[in-house]
Amino acid sequence: MTPPTPFAAVILAAGMGTRMKSDLHKVLHPVAGRPMIEHLLASVERLSPAKVAVVVGSGREQLEPLVEAHAGTLVVQEPQLGTGHAVQQAQQALNGFAGDVLILYGDTPLVGAETMARMLTRLHEPDEPAIVVLASRPADPRAYGRVIADADGTIAKMVEFKDANAEERGCALCNSGLMAVRAADLFGLLGRIGNDNAAREYYLPDIVMLAARDGRRSVVVETDDWEVAGVNSRGELAAIESEWQRRRREQAMVDGVTLVAPETVWFAHDTMIGRDSVIEPNVMFGPGVTIGERVRIRAFSHIEGARVADGAEIGPYARLRPGAEIGEQAKIGNFVEVKKSRFGRGAKANHLSYIGDAEVGAGANVGAGTITCNYDGFLKYPTKIGEGAFIGSNSALVAPVVIGKGAIVAAGSVVTRDVADDALALARGSQVEKPGWAARFREKMAARKKAK
Ligand code: UD1
Ligand code: MG
């Protein structure tokens, strides 16, 4: 899947995104727990681009850290005069780069590396097309620009919906907006486009007709419409999310994972689940989750940034937060929250607990209602529970604190000092018993009430 020659990616993201009605830049809205533009960058990076330029307008400060993190260059387009004008702004950033240019749209996040490679490869086939356009045949072609092409994929015309006549609007082949062009051709062609059209914009697709005028053919590469679905509104964002999830669930089942009610399980872009694991209904995976084999995730659990080893059981109603590492055969039960803590093999916290910044040794049993008090309002502190220790119900472990191997903490204890291996720690008021007191009390009170 290596492209034939070095290429630069230009990602357009300067559109206003007005229909999102959002303070967040459109391309930062997440699909499967990851900003749209990160999906694109991840695909592009699989092909090792020589350069990446991201064209932005308003909200550029929101994109800066992300673009920097990907070693890309931010290019400002101000004002936004159309897609052709947008690509033109990237010329300086490409700084005389002489390879191919792959033009992508920040709001068309699901285009895969294979398709990108297919476009770049097509550009170098023996007929040497000037431009490769990515197109699809959506069930509902809506207001997409149309690609008028003949049977062998040679493009006769690209026309925006607004400018198209009835016959052209009837054409099923739609422009995804994505193109591959050699840098040596691209900027010359862009310099020649005008804005004499319905939108008064500089249309990128016009370079196809300009190349044709020079006697050079451009060709279309087709893909399925799902891959080039764009996001212009919250509704379209939800539609993409929903279809992404549907496909991911199918893949999970193909990979040997049982989903009891597939339509209720939500994955993140990087969720990994081993075979013969069972995911019960209404489970949500945030980013950064790895689940081993033969794991059971019971209903209504919320899991993010966590690793769960083979044969463990989670939930129902469990919450695993970032840094949770659950060992083999371990059990995290209902209403237990685990953050940045490691559970050893076979360790258990079965009911109603908060375990944070802790290490729980193999085979330890954390009783119902145990809380690690890991935070004093300023700093966080660690708790260590040794192998085979037993923490009685409703205990508060005030960190930093170490409970030794095989130690027992009596129920209801507030433990503020370390407990030695195999010791019993009792840290609660000791019980006082007054024989017959309750009976005498009832007698006295009943008499008092009667006298009233
Ligand atoms: C564009 C195409 C249309 C295609 C459709 C696919 C043109 C003229 N039309 O139309 O043929 O069917 O995409 O979705 O190219 N952008 C800028 N600067 C601008 C204008 C746009 O960076 O001045 C960016 C936007 O942020 C977006 C992309 O370019 O990422 C597409 O812009 P948009 O306004 O959505 O174009 P469409 O009208 O959808
Ligand atoms: Mg659009």
Side-chain angles (χ1 to χ4, degrees):
M1 218 181 41
T2 326
T5 54
F7 78 100
V10 174
I11 302 179
L12 302 190
M16 304 291 270
T18 14
R19 280 195 282 153
M20 293 297 283
K21 303 215 174 76
S22 178
D23 293 335
L24 182 66
H25 195 289
K26 175 159 89 173
V27 301
L28 293 179
H29 281 263
V31 171
R34 169 161 78 167
M36 281 190 249
I37 193 167
E38 292 259 23
H39 283 266
L40 266 187
L41 287 166
S43 298
V44 167
E45 281 165 3
R46 284 180 58 199
L47 303 175
S48 314
K51 282 178 194 297
V52 175
V54 180
V55 182
V56 290
S58 58
R60 69 192 73 128
E61 62 294 338
Q62 295 182 15
L63 282 171
E64 232 159 52
L66 187 147
V67 172
E68 252 168 46
H70 287 270
T73 309
L74 214 56
V75 173
V76 176
Q77 183 200 17
E78 198 77 73
Q80 289 92 44
L81 301 178
T83 48
H85 177 254
V87 176
Q88 223 171 2
Q89 309 312 302
Q91 183 167 14
Q92 241 191 346
L94 296 191
N95 192 22
F97 173 75
D100 298 341
V101 180
L102 182 65
I103 300 163
L104 306 166
Y105 285 5
D107 63 356
T108 307
L110 302 173
V111 184
E114 289 80 4
T115 299
M116 295 177 186
R118 201 147 60 88
M119 293 170 69
L120 292 164
T121 303
R122 181 67 188 87
L123 196 59
H124 293 278
E125 276 173 22
D127 60 335
E128 299 256 309
I131 301 161
V132 175
V133 172
L134 183 65
S136 73
R137 298 174 190 273
D140 174 9
R142 294 183 287 184
Y144 284 120
R146 301 298 205 263
V147 183
I148 318 294
D150 62 23
D152 74 353
T154 303
I155 302 174
K157 186 180 179 186
M158 307 264 304
V159 60
E160 287 306 291
F161 185 79
K162 280 184 188 164
D163 301 288
N165 62 35
E167 193 190 334
E168 290 164 341
R169 287 181 178 188
C171 162
L173 193 59
C174 291
N175 176 25
S176 73
L178 279 64
M179 291 184 182
V181 199
R182 290 171 195 78
D185 294 327
L186 177 63
F187 295 102
L189 290 167
L190 284 173
R192 289 158 57 192
I193 58 179
N195 66 349
D196 184 15
N197 54 50
R200 295 259 146 233
E201 282 182 5
Y202 295 85
Y203 292 161
L204 175 63
D206 283 1
I207 62 173
V208 169
M209 279 75 79
L210 290 165
R213 231 180 273 168
D214 298 343
R216 303 190 53 199
R217 62 193 285 269
S218 298
V219 298
V220 69
V221 159
E222 287 193 41
T223 189
D224 78 63
D225 62 317
W226 145 255
E227 195 182 6
V228 291
V231 174
N232 297 294
S233 64
R234 308 251 183 183
E236 287 172 1
L237 180 67
I240 280 205
E241 179 75 43
S242 152
E243 179 62 11
W244 189 95
Q245 293 293 343
R246 193 187 66 74
R247 287 168 184 250
R248 182 64 186 85
R249 290 165 192 143
E250 239 165 52
Q251 189 59 49
M253 293 187 282
V254 167
D255 295 342
V257 176
T258 293
L259 304 182
V260 176
E263 64 289 355
T264 68
V265 175
W266 292 80
F267 291 94
H269 65 98
D270 57 352
T271 310
M272 307 224 286
I273 305 183
R275 57 190 286 166
D276 286 322
S277 285
V278 176
I279 315 296
E280 292 186 5
N282 295 298
V283 170
M284 170 102 199
F285 294 104
V289 174
T290 304
I291 307 283
E293 299 184 355
R294 299 175 310 284
V295 169
R296 191 168 192 100
I297 309 286
R298 305 192 59 197
F300 294 100
S301 293
H302 190 283
I303 300 177
E304 64 186 313
R307 299 181 76 87
V308 178
D310 297 350
E313 188 174 324
I314 308 296
Y317 297 99
R319 176 157 185 219
L320 301 185
R321 290 172 50 202
E325 288 190 29
I326 312 302
E328 284 182 33
Q329 314 289 335
K331 274 187 160 189
I332 302 297
N334 43 268
F335 305 105
V336 173
E337 173 180 345
V338 179
K339 185 220 77 167
K340 207 175 165 197
S341 295
R342 194 176 326 158
F343 275 69
R345 188 187 172 85
K348 291 178 191 162
N350 272 336
H351 337 263
L352 303 157
S353 277
Y354 170 68
I355 306 296
D357 303 306
E359 207 173 310
V360 181
N365 190 328
V366 176
T370 297
I371 306 291
T372 53
C373 309
N374 62 330
Y375 184 50
D376 59 11
F378 296 91
L379 296 170
K380 303 267 170 76
Y381 305 92
T383 300
K384 197 163 180 235
I385 298 175
E387 280 178 24
F390 182 96
I391 312 298
S393 296
N394 200 30
S395 292
L397 308 178
V398 183
V401 71
V402 177
I403 313 294
K405 286 185 196 168
I408 295 179
V409 170
S413 291
V414 177
V415 179
T416 54
R417 279 178 283 130
D418 290 357
V419 178
D421 291 358
D422 293 320
L424 166 69
L426 269 157
R428 61 183 191 214
S430 52
Q431 192 165 322
V432 174
E433 186 160 329
K434 301 185 176 180
W437 189 95
R440 290 196 300 279
F441 173 76
R442 275 194 297 273
E443 216 170 274
K444 186 171 78 189
M445 293 311 285
R448 208 179 274 179
K449 195 170 175 186
K450 208 171 166 190
K452 281 233 163 174

